[in-house]
Amino acid sequence: MDKFKSIVVKFKSLIGLLLLCFIISIITPRFLNVNNLLNVLTQVSVNAVIAIGMTFVILTGGIDLSVGSILAITGAIAASIIVKSNSLFLAIVVTILLGALIGAFNGAIVAKGKIQPFIVTLATMTIFRGATYVFTNGTPISGLSKNFTFIGNSRVLGIPFPVIITLIVFALAWYLISETRYGRYVYALGGNEDSTRLSGINTDKVKMLVYIVSGIASAISGVIVTSRIGSASPNAGSGYELDAIAAVVLGGTSLSGGEGSITGTIVGAMIIGVLNNGLNLMNVSPFYQSIVKGLVILLAVLIDKKNKK
Amino acid sequence: MQNKKPILEMVGISKTFPGVKALDKVNLRAYEGEVMALLGENGAGKSTLMKILSGVYQRDEGEIKIEGQDVEIKNIKDAQKLGISIIHQELSLLTNLSIYENLFLGCEIRDGLKLNKKEMVKKSEELLREFDLNISPKTIVKELTVGEMQMVEIIKAVSKDARIIIMDEPTTALTEVETQKLFKIIEQLKSQDVAVIYISHRMEEIFKICDRVTVLRDGTYIGEEYIKNVSRDDLISMMVGRKLEEQFPYVEVKPGKAILEVKNIKWNDKIKDVSFELKSGEILGIAGLMGSGRTEVAKLIFGEYKKTSGEVYIDGKKVDIKSPKDAINSGIAYLSEDRKKEGLILKLSVLENMTISNLSKYENRIKRIDRSKELDDCKEYTKKLSIKTFSPYQLVKNLSGGNQQKVIIAKWLLNLPKVLIIDEPTKGIDVGAKKEIYEILNELKSQGKGVIMISSDMEEILGVSDRIIVMHEGKITGEISRKEANQEIIMKYAVGLTD
């Protein structure tokens, strides 16, 4: 019995997700069909990629509020490179490097300035959003070529390309967090910064690393979003940080750091995506959707809290 | 003394947690105007018993009587109403508030809705004066020294008209002078017919201040004795259930060459020109009072603090240490006195804690951690240091203090250090595990490593060190060989007297 309970606790997010799918599929038969499910996965992919990066930051006990703004600015840069040179390679490389650079900027201020990540990224969220408006002059960059919009809209072997990108990002992130020493350092730092530093680990470097990962993840999402829509809007990604944080928390990662997993985050992102899709299929008005989403998050955290006692 | 009557009687108390019987028919009495020592190794059930008494846990079985009346203690409020007050080992003060706000927390003096700050400050002032504490009650607690905080905590407990006061390791953070003050307070409480339950691992204190002693072992009641009828060895064998031939095993090793030389280290105005050397095959004890700068010297050598000036040599070669990482690469290991804050990562497993400072050793060509190699090392050291854990994947927070300390030692041994600096190696660790730690230190010494042991436990310093240096206010005030050393000489140097 104890063993059964411990399995339930371990896979609670996944059980929650399956339960949610089950309920929705009873209410609306349109949910369980291949096209709809692939559609859900595609919609989830942007949030999932951002949330994977966010997981790194949250595992260290930090937070990154600037992800939505990073998405916007990297998307705009990618779009303008495509418009000017039509070089897919250049667009992607520059975008990802820029994401890493912005992440490093966040990380440097958090680590060297010893300022709370919430404050730092709240400020940079505004700065990068402003920079996007300056760069785009406040108007969307459109007229993107087919070879770019391919990324967001095509399928390979029947699987939407954004989903494939998400799987690749997930695999790399999983390897980094579970199989390498840097991953271990991320958990250690979130568990106890002083002990970690006194164990001879350059904690500033680890902090930089997680914000860089988050920046790169946001940049990848920037590319996906821009290519899906076919234009880069300066408003893109507004509020995405909240969905990403929600996915991380629903996936069982502790906001105080040191506990959680990337796999959980994927499940968390799926819960949000399935819920959105289900509510849409049921023709629930967006106003109510927002309320339902919030309630589900509260419920999940309350259940989690109770299990930990 | 014989006709004192017990204020408190706890009879046949049992408590089971999932999977563990923490207490099995335990008895404890406390007598008015007396101090009852509660002794036992870590995990013996002292804390559980005290938590039942103070209303944090509920007993499964047994009776609690106060002045002969059966009582139910369902929560902390009940305990307070019955006049039971507890001074925790870990401070429970709110460090962002002032002393008087802490003293009156939950029982503020008010005029209607408005707080009467004047009155509270005045009363706090009186209390502080009563206990010889010359601090303004408006001082914010975080600006106090740990010792002063502990005193405030004690005052807070005492000021609540308690009839039964539980003190859980009250002196761990106190200086000698503050400890003496505490003992005076305890005498005062005795004269007011208060019953004190005193938990400590320090034998000297128990013999000095306690009237009777109750011993627990593995959750069972071993016995109650008058302190004057028992010897130290009696108590130890009651606690561990076997005779401890010797609490401080000592091995004679001929020291080798200087392995670590510290020359003219200075740090702001806290550390004033400290120089010493450590030989291989030697345990160098550093004694001194709290705040004498011992820990700071260790952290300066280890690169956690940046020294203002001075040099460090390893094997005769000058090393430039700017961070703990540099220190580790030079072959230095440092075990902090604060295991939980500066040693362990409580959310990680035993294995992860052991290998954290040495992970690159396990990396293969694709930067992947070789888990089987990691597990081998963990198992090897778990066995070598006889760490009691049922699995390498057990979270380190579930281990006892002694085993946690051994995990940290294992972590550092995996780095193969030349010099091990260990700060308060046995703080809060039970008697049996203490001896095992000393044996590990001796083993390192025999291997030709150098050990620096900082300790406030006089007997430990005298029993384990080959050589002792004493610090006072950021300076070394004396150096003593094992042969010459005794408590009086160390105290003399520790308070700043020189020859």
Side-chain angles (χ1 to χ4, degrees):
Chain A
M1 200 61 198
D2 265 5
K3 196 158 187 191
F4 175 73
K5 201 182 160 196
S6 78
I7 288 173
V8 170
V9 170
K10 192 170 174 194
F11 292 106
K12 57 185 182 291
S13 304
L14 191 60
I15 293 170
L17 174 62
L18 294 175
L19 210 64
L20 189 65
C21 291
F22 180 70
I23 295 169
I24 293 173
S25 63
I26 288 177
I27 300 175
T28 159
R30 282 183 297 164
F31 177 73
L32 270 189
N33 99 28
V34 178
N35 257 329
N36 183 55
L37 290 179
L38 286 177
N39 185 23
V40 172
L41 288 176
T42 313
Q43 282 166 355
V44 164
S45 59
V46 170
N47 185 30
V49 170
I50 299 176
I52 286 169
M54 185 72 82
T55 310
F56 279 74
V57 178
I58 289 180
L59 279 174
T60 65
I63 198 137
D64 188 352
L65 299 178
S66 68
V67 288
S69 300
I70 301 178
L71 181 152
I73 194 155
T74 51
I77 300 265
S80 86
I81 292 174
I82 293 294
V83 168
K84 293 209 171 86
S85 74
N86 200 21
S87 163
L88 189 61
F89 176 78
L90 195 66
I92 288 173
V93 170
V94 169
T95 306
I96 287 174
L97 281 179
L98 181 68
L101 197 71
I102 293 176
F105 180 73
N106 278 335
I109 299 174
V110 169
K112 300 290 176 193
K114 303 195 193 308
I115 301 172
Q116 284 164 343
F118 186 94
I119 306 294
V120 172
T121 56
L122 182 67
T124 57
M125 169 173 92
T126 316
I127 294 170
F128 301 136
R129 180 66 63 189
T132 314
Y133 278 111
V134 172
F135 182 76
T136 59
N137 238 331
T139 49
I141 302 174
S142 49
L144 304 177
S145 61
K146 273 256 163 60
N147 68 358
F148 184 71
T149 51
F150 166 89
I151 297 172
N153 300 297
S154 65
R155 288 185 178 190
V156 176
L157 300 172
I159 302 167
F161 204 58
V163 177
I164 294 173
I165 296 175
T166 308
L167 288 176
I168 294 170
V169 170
F170 169 74
L172 291 174
W174 176 83
Y175 189 81
L176 186 58
I177 205 85
S178 315
E179 298 297 306
T180 73
R181 69 184 158 109
Y182 298 105
R184 194 75 64 80
Y185 294 163
V186 167
Y187 282 94
L189 177 62
N192 184 337
E193 183 169 352
D194 288 335
S195 291
T196 307
R197 189 184 55 254
L198 286 165
S199 297
I201 291 143
N202 187 339
T203 46
D204 285 355
K205 213 165 118 185
V206 181
K207 279 186 197 165
M208 294 276 286
L209 173 86
V210 295
Y211 288 94
I212 290 173
V213 169
S214 179
I216 293 175
S218 308
I220 293 171
S221 292
V223 172
I224 299 176
V225 167
T226 310
S227 94
R228 248 184 90 69
I229 303 171
S231 78
S233 155
N235 294 320
S238 288
Y240 281 25
E241 63 282 350
L242 299 180
D243 270 354
I245 295 167
V248 174
V249 172
L250 284 174
T253 296
S254 152
L255 277 181
S256 59
E259 281 168 300
S261 72
I262 300 275
T263 332
T265 296
I266 293 289
V267 175
M270 286 293 296
I271 290 176
I272 295 175
V274 166
L275 195 62
N276 278 337
N277 178 263
L279 293 171
N280 277 333
L281 291 180
M282 289 182 250
N283 289 322
V284 176
S285 110
F287 304 154
Y288 284 102
Q289 286 193 21
S290 185
I291 296 175
V292 173
K293 228 163 78 179
L295 287 175
V296 167
I297 292 169
L298 271 183
L299 189 72
V301 195
L302 282 171
I303 292 172
D304 191 37
K305 183 95 185 170
K306 213 170 171 197
N307 275 325
K308 273 183 184 150
K309 267 192 179 167
Chain B
M1 199 192 236
Q2 253 73 6
N3 48 24
K4 295 257 181 187
K5 55 174 198 225
I7 290 191
L8 167 77
E9 283 176 280
M10 298 175 86
V11 185
I13 305 287
S14 298
K15 175 77 186 171
T16 307
F17 293 112
V20 209
K21 186 137 200 178
L23 292 175
D24 189 7
K25 299 200 171 59
V26 166
N27 307 326
L28 176 70
R29 277 178 282 271
Y31 300 82
E32 65 180 21
E34 280 193 18
V35 182
M36 170 65 84
L38 180 58
L39 264 185
E41 296 191 280
N42 285 357
K46 292 168 300 185
S47 307
T48 310
L49 188 62
M50 290 304 102
K51 280 183 178 158
I52 288 174
L53 182 57
S54 56
V56 179
Y57 294 155
Q58 298 299 303
R59 64 187 189 276
D60 299 337
E61 271 186 88
E63 293 170 1
I64 303 177
K65 285 182 186 171
I66 288 186
E67 287 174 342
Q69 301 285 316
D70 277 316
V71 291
E72 281 300 323
I73 305 175
K74 290 211 180 71
N75 51 46
I76 299 170
K77 268 241 156 80
D78 283 352
Q80 280 171 354
K81 270 187 220 147
L82 290 165
I84 299 167
S85 189
I86 182 161
I87 299 164
H88 291 278
Q89 188 176 357
E90 270 136 32
L91 296 172
S92 62
L93 297 176
L94 301 170
T95 53
N96 56 332
L97 300 183
S98 67
I99 296 178
Y100 84 86
E101 284 167 313
N102 269 286
L103 289 179
F104 284 95
L105 192 70
C107 48
E108 292 82 1
I109 303 174
R110 288 174 308 180
D111 297 330
L113 276 176
K114 191 177 159 289
L115 291 174
N116 188 340
K117 290 187 187 167
K118 240 187 198 164
E119 187 65 21
M120 288 192 279
V121 171
K122 206 182 117 211
K123 287 212 165 153
S124 304
E125 232 160 26
E126 284 164 15
L127 279 168
L128 292 175
R129 208 174 316 127
E130 201 178 317
F131 292 103
D132 282 345
L133 220 57
N134 276 324
I135 328 169
S136 156
K138 289 182 185 163
T139 317
I140 302 296
V141 167
K142 68 176 159 213
E143 286 161 15
L144 304 177
T145 66
V146 183
E148 287 167 341
M149 287 186 201
Q150 184 82 56
M151 294 300 285
V152 172
E153 178 99 32
I154 291 165
I155 293 171
K156 186 180 165 188
V158 170
S159 68
K160 286 191 175 153
D161 291 328
R163 284 187 294 173
I164 300 163
I165 296 183
I166 305 160
M167 298 189 180
D168 191 357
E169 299 259 7
T171 58
T172 29
L174 298 188
T175 64
E176 191 59 33
V177 181
E178 286 165 334
T179 305
Q180 293 311 323
K181 256 189 221 168
L182 172 67
F183 289 170
K184 242 194 251 165
I185 295 171
I186 294 177
E187 288 298 338
Q188 212 175 314
L189 291 171
K190 280 169 73 171
S191 67
Q192 293 163 11
D193 280 344
V194 172
V196 177
I197 299 172
Y198 192 91
I199 302 176
S200 176
H201 282 115
R202 292 187 180 161
M203 286 289 179
E204 313 159 58
E205 291 178 2
I206 286 168
F207 280 96
K208 201 164 185 176
I209 197 74
C210 300
D211 301 288
R212 302 185 208 219
V213 54
T214 296
V215 180
L216 305 184
R217 186 204 312 149
D218 297 332
T220 57
Y221 172 76
I222 302 301
E224 182 194 305
E225 299 283 350
Y226 278 109
I227 213 84
K228 57 178 190 216
N229 295 343
V230 287
S231 73
R232 224 188 118 83
D233 287 347
D234 292 339
L235 287 182
I236 290 178
S237 59
M238 280 170 88
M239 277 161 70
V240 298
R242 63 193 140 94
K243 282 270 176 207
L244 275 189
E245 322 74 273
E246 218 188 318
Q247 180 59 21
F248 300 103
Y250 179 76
V251 212
E252 192 84 49
V253 174
K254 205 170 152 46
K257 278 192 292 195
I259 193 166
L260 169 79
E261 288 161 90
V262 173
K263 289 188 183 162
N264 309 102
I265 281 198
K266 288 180 193 161
W267 184 56
N268 303 334
D269 55 350
K270 292 251 176 66
I271 299 299
K272 303 155 188 157
D273 203 3
V274 164
S275 303
F276 64 89
E277 63 167 41
L278 170 74
K279 297 189 181 73
S280 76
E282 179 184 52
I283 297 180
L284 173 66
I286 304 186
L289 303 174
M290 290 264 304
S292 59
R294 297 168 302 171
T295 298
E296 285 77 3
V297 167
K299 287 189 170 175
L300 285 165
I301 297 172
F302 195 60
E304 167 74 347
Y305 297 161
K306 316 261 170 295
K307 48 187 181 287
T308 319
S309 64
E311 287 148 16
V312 174
Y313 295 80
I314 296 274
D315 285 332
K317 277 194 267 317
K318 191 176 161 186
V319 285
D320 187 21
I321 294 169
K322 292 207 181 76
S323 66
K325 196 176 177 181
D326 293 343
I328 292 166
N329 291 337
S330 313
I332 303 172
Y334 168 66
L335 284 83
S336 163
E337 61 179 321
D338 195 338
R339 275 194 295 282
K340 287 192 177 142
K341 279 204 191 119
E342 300 185 337
L344 298 166
I345 299 157
L346 293 170
K347 285 177 177 175
L348 298 188
S349 66
V350 169
L351 175 137
E352 288 167 322
N353 269 282
M354 267 191 205
T355 57
I356 187 75
S357 79
N358 216 357
L359 274 180
S360 45
K361 183 178 134 188
Y362 304 101
E363 272 181 339
N364 66 12
R365 247 177 303 154
I366 49 167
K367 293 277 176 192
R368 186 173 186 173
I369 298 173
D370 184 338
R371 287 178 199 257
S372 65
K373 228 165 103 185
E374 215 185 353
L375 187 61
D376 287 346
D377 276 357
C378 175
K379 280 185 177 157
E380 186 191 329
Y381 277 85
T382 304
K383 207 172 149 205
K384 233 186 220 171
L385 305 184
S386 44
I387 299 172
K388 286 187 201 100
T389 170
F390 64 78
S391 147
Y393 306 110
Q394 158 108 308
L395 291 186
V396 81
K397 70 174 169 205
N398 296 331
L399 265 54
S400 71
N403 284 308
Q404 288 180 339
Q405 182 73 316
K406 287 188 202 166
V407 170
I408 304 175
I409 294 178
K411 165 171 94 178
W412 290 112
L413 295 188
L414 277 165
N415 271 314
L416 309 172
K418 293 174 192 158
V419 174
L420 190 82
I421 308 174
I422 185 161
D423 200 345
E424 304 287 2
T426 61
K427 187 168 158 185
I429 290 178
D430 59 66
V431 183
K434 270 187 183 176
K435 192 178 174 194
E436 288 175 15
I437 304 264
Y438 301 140
E439 275 161 355
I440 295 168
L441 296 183
N442 283 336
E443 169 67 21
L444 293 173
K445 178 168 106 175
S446 309
Q447 290 168 8
K449 296 185 194 299
V451 177
I452 296 176
M453 182 183 80
I454 300 171
S455 175
S456 301
D457 184 336
M458 221 24 129
E459 299 183 337
E460 178 171 282
I461 279 274
L462 289 167
V464 181
S465 320
D466 292 295
R467 191 158 57 93
I468 299 162
I469 56 180
V470 187
M471 289 189 64
H472 171 75
E473 292 187 346
K475 275 184 294 207
I476 293 178
T477 44
E479 183 183 327
I480 319 156
S481 71
R482 181 180 177 84
K483 270 192 202 135
E484 305 162 330
N486 63 43
Q487 294 214 19
E488 287 71 39
I489 302 181
I490 293 179
M491 271 324 289
K492 198 180 81 182
Y493 288 139
V495 296
L497 299 172
T498 38
D499 300 290

